[in-house]
């Protein structure tokens, strides 16, 4: 059965381009296109698509208003299409908090030159969101929804030996980060480094948002920036973050485009691997919701160096790809919801401070 897609965009060119990209892929089908948000809401109710690609800036009804109504009236997964600007990134983060599953950035100035890359990115996200929605529907109809009863016991970890906390996320990650990172207190005593798959302008907006809600200082990493205990360091989009040893002092962050073979920049694999090698004490790695298996290779290195991996549970993941990869490899010692991860990190902070 094909994944059914509704395309909503006020640009004739973008509607045609997105439709052609999706319709040209086996297993995907565009069931309708809409010229603005109001039409998108009506077509979503009529066709009940699996996935909606939704522009943010539109006449008559903007994308955020349409998103709210589509999420209220249909079970569709919504992929926001945002301009590659500061305003677009801020609106995108708001959309994710409102229930959008993911965001794809469109740069009109370079669209023609990078159409093949955008097609690959768009198709992979639509497929992942459609398949994830189908699995969640099957769990609900099969009565396999998890029980919330019982008290939660945070996973154990040797806090005296902890050297760094590294977190990796992709699709659906920003709202989870907004849930778990405010639970960390400056007394944690080790650097926290976060790699979220996003363009640079989006990670800049995310850093500002996290600064507003976190007790810890939040810094967007720059080349050669020393990592400070009790500070949350956010990897910038478009570059890999390599953790490097610097004598007997705290490790530093080195940013570059290598290895180019890694599809996503920042790569969770690169962050985890280099942190495990550079830090004298074991690393705790947390793998959150996301497409694919970025983080698997790095998680193996963390475990090889006596560190630990926690992962997000399937039921709470927008796309159970990255956490599934580490769980199935036997590398994750705990599969937790965002709320449980937040509690576990708060508990870790409290014990570290004591």
């Amino acid at each position: 059965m094909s994944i059914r897609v509704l395309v909503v965009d006020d640009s004739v060119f973008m509607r045609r381009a997105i439709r052609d990209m999706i319709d040209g892929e086996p297993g995907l089908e565009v069931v309708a296109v809409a010229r603005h948000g109001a039409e998108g809401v009506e077509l979503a109710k009529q066709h009940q698509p699996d996935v909606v690609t939704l522009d943010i800036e539109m006449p008559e009804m903007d994308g955020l208003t349409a998103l709210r109504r589509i999420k209220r009236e249909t079970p569709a997964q919504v992929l926001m299409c945002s301009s590659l600007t500061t305003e677009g990134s801020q609106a995108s983060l708001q959309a994710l908090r409102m229930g959008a599953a993911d965001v794809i950035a469109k740069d009109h100035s370079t669209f023609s030159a990078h159409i093949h890359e955008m097609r690959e990115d768009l198709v992979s996200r639509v497929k992942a969101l459609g398949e994830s929605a189908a699995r969640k529907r099957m769990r609900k109809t099969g009565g396999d929804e998890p029980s919330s009863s019982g008290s939660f016991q945070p996973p154990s970890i040797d806090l005296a030996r902890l050297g760094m906390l590294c977190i990796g996320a992709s699709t659906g990650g920003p709202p989870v980060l907004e849930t778990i990172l405010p639970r960390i207190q400056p007394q944690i005593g080790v650097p926290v480094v976060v790699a979220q798959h996003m363009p640079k302008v989006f990670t800049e907006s995310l850093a500002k948002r996290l600064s507003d809600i976190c007790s810890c200082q939040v810094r967007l990493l720059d080349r050669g920036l020393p990592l400070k205990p009790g500070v949350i360091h956010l990897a910038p989009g478009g570059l890999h973050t390599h953790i490097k040893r610097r004598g007997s002092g705290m490790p530093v962050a080195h940013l570059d485009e290598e290895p180019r073979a890694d599809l996503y920049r920042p790569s969770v694999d690169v962050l985890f691997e280099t942190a495990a090698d550079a830090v004298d004490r074991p690393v705790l790695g947390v793998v959150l919701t996301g497409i694919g298996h970025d983080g698997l290779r790095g998680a193996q290195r963390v475990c090889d160096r006596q560190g630990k991996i926690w992962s997000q549970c399937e039921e709470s993941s927008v796309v159970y790809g990255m956490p599934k990869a580490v769980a199935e490899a036997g590398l994750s010692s705990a599969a937790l919801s965002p709320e449980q991860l937040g509690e576990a990190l708060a508990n870790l902070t409290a014990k570290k401070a004591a």
Side-chain angles (χ1 to χ4, degrees):
M1 181 178 295
S2 294
I3 294 169
R4 304 169 73 254
V5 184
L6 167 65
V7 177
V8 186
D9 201 297
D10 68 320
S11 164
V12 174
F13 172 78
M14 288 304 300
R15 288 199 302 272
R16 182 180 298 115
I18 293 173
R19 179 169 197 161
D20 289 347
M21 291 178 193
I22 293 173
D23 269 343
E25 184 69 20
L28 302 182
E29 173 193 6
V30 174
V31 294
V33 295
R35 298 163 295 174
H36 49 71
E39 186 177 27
V41 171
E42 292 307 312
L43 289 175
K45 289 191 292 185
Q46 177 182 339
H47 292 279
Q48 295 292 306
D50 302 301
V51 180
V52 177
T53 70
L54 181 61
D55 190 17
I56 289 181
E57 298 178 1
M58 293 182 293
E60 297 197 34
M61 181 186 290
D62 64 84
L64 295 180
T65 303
L67 168 66
R68 186 179 296 109
R69 292 185 56 183
I70 289 171
K71 292 300 297 181
R72 185 172 65 237
E73 299 176 20
T74 80
Q77 294 273 39
V78 180
L79 173 62
M80 305 301 295
C81 297
S82 169
S83 61
L84 198 60
T85 63
T86 299
E87 293 77 13
S89 66
Q90 291 170 348
S92 297
L93 292 177
Q94 183 179 350
L96 291 169
R97 290 193 292 273
M98 292 169 58
D102 201 3
V103 176
I104 190 167
K106 53 182 182 179
D107 186 349
H108 292 279
S109 64
T110 62
F111 182 85
S112 296
H114 297 92
I115 191 168
H116 295 296
E117 292 91 335
M118 183 176 179
R119 180 186 183 280
E120 181 180 353
D121 191 19
L122 175 69
V123 166
S124 66
R125 296 190 199 212
V126 169
K127 281 186 174 180
L129 292 177
E131 292 166 358
S132 175
R135 284 194 295 270
K136 289 181 179 181
R137 285 197 298 270
M138 289 177 63
R139 283 203 305 272
K140 286 183 179 179
T141 56
D144 294 331
E145 285 295 288
S147 171
S148 59
S149 61
S151 60
F152 169 65
Q153 295 296 324
S156 62
I157 190 169
D158 187 351
L159 301 176
R161 299 180 63 236
L162 183 63
M164 185 177 292
L165 169 60
C166 294
I167 301 173
S170 185
T171 303
V176 181
L177 294 175
E178 291 187 18
T179 297
I180 68 176
L181 294 182
R183 302 297 302 277
I184 301 173
Q185 301 299 313
Q187 295 85 357
I188 189 172
V190 298
V192 181
V193 187
V194 180
Q196 165 70 53
H197 295 167
M198 275 185 160
K200 184 176 186 294
V201 68
F202 283 53
T203 52
E204 290 171 350
S205 294
L206 180 59
K208 291 177 182 177
R209 166 64 181 173
L210 293 173
S211 292
D212 291 338
I213 63 175
C214 289
S215 299
C216 293
Q217 179 185 0
V218 178
R219 303 171 68 182
L220 190 66
L221 282 171
D222 201 352
R223 285 181 170 87
L225 184 71
L227 303 178
K228 294 186 176 182
V231 173
I232 297 171
H233 307 81
L234 185 64
L239 295 169
H240 294 308
T241 294
H242 301 253
I243 308 302
K244 302 285 187 180
R245 189 188 305 273
R246 189 180 66 175
S248 59
M250 291 301 298
V252 299
H254 176 74
L255 308 177
D256 62 36
E257 294 185 354
E258 298 295 338
R260 293 180 181 272
D262 286 67
L263 178 62
Y264 297 106
R265 293 193 295 267
S267 162
V268 181
D269 279 326
V270 171
L271 171 61
F272 281 19
E273 286 179 320
T274 58
D277 291 342
V279 181
D280 291 333
R281 291 175 292 171
V283 169
L284 170 60
V286 180
V287 180
L288 302 178
T289 173
I291 296 170
H293 53 77
D294 186 24
L296 174 60
R297 191 179 72 230
Q300 184 64 66
R301 185 74 61 85
V302 167
C303 292
D304 289 344
R305 299 290 191 271
Q306 310 307 311
K308 281 196 173 184
I309 297 293
W310 295 345
S311 60
Q312 188 172 344
C313 65
E314 179 177 4
E315 295 78 16
S316 66
S317 296
V318 172
V319 176
Y320 190 56
M322 288 165 48
K324 178 183 180 181
V326 296
E328 290 188 342
L331 300 174
S332 175
S333 60
L336 310 171
S337 70
E339 292 74 19
Q340 291 171 335
L341 281 166
E343 185 176 341
L345 292 176
N347 180 68
L348 181 154
T349 299
K351 287 188 176 180
K352 190 78 174 184

